[in-house]
Amino acid sequence: CFMLGNEGQGLEEYQLKRCDQLVYISQYGEGTASLNVCVAGSIVLHHFGLWAGKTESKREGQKFVVVQESGRDRYLNRTAEEEAEFEERRAQRREKREAAAA
C-alpha cells in the first residue's frame, strides 16, 4: 500500500506509525517547499515499477500498444517461471510477517 501525504504537512503521525518504510523525494533549488501530491505519487510509482522489474509496454512510434489481456487473465495464466517468482515473493512476505509478529 502506498500512502501519500498532503503537500503542506505530509502524513499525520497516526499514518506514519502504520508505515513500514518512508520515501523522501529530494528537491533542488529554493523555489518550492513541496511537490504536488500527483507529481510525487507519479515519481514514487515510477521508481517502484523500476524496482519491481517491470518492463515498459511496447510502443509503436510515440504510442503505447494496448494489449487486450486483463491483469486477471495474466494472473490466472502465469508461466512456470512467473508462478515460481510469485510463490517466492509470497513466502518472503509471510516470513517478514512472522518475524514481525515474534
Side-chain angles (χ1 to χ4, degrees), residues 48-56 89:
F48 176 76
L50 294 175
W51 172 86
K54 299 292 183 185
T55 56
E56 183 177 291
R89 282 182 290 187

Side-chain angles (χ1 to χ4, degrees), residues 73-87:
D73 290 336
R74 285 191 305 276
Y75 174 80
L76 294 174
N77 299 307
R78 293 185 294 248
T79 65
E81 182 179 307
E82 290 170 330
E83 181 67 27
E85 290 175 18
F86 180 82
E87 291 302 326

Side-chain angles (χ1 to χ4, degrees), residues 6-7 9 14 25 31 35-36 38 44 46-47 49-50 53-54 61-63 68-71 76-77 80 94 97 100:
N6 69 46
E7 297 166 24
Q9 317 306 299
Y14 75 93
I25 301 173
L35 293 174
N36 172 285
C38 183
V44 169
H46 171 76
H47 281 274
L50 294 175
K54 299 292 183 185
Q62 298 297 318
K63 295 199 171 228
Q68 297 302 318
E69 182 182 49
S70 71
L76 294 174
N77 299 307
R94 185 180 316 114
R97 282 193 309 271

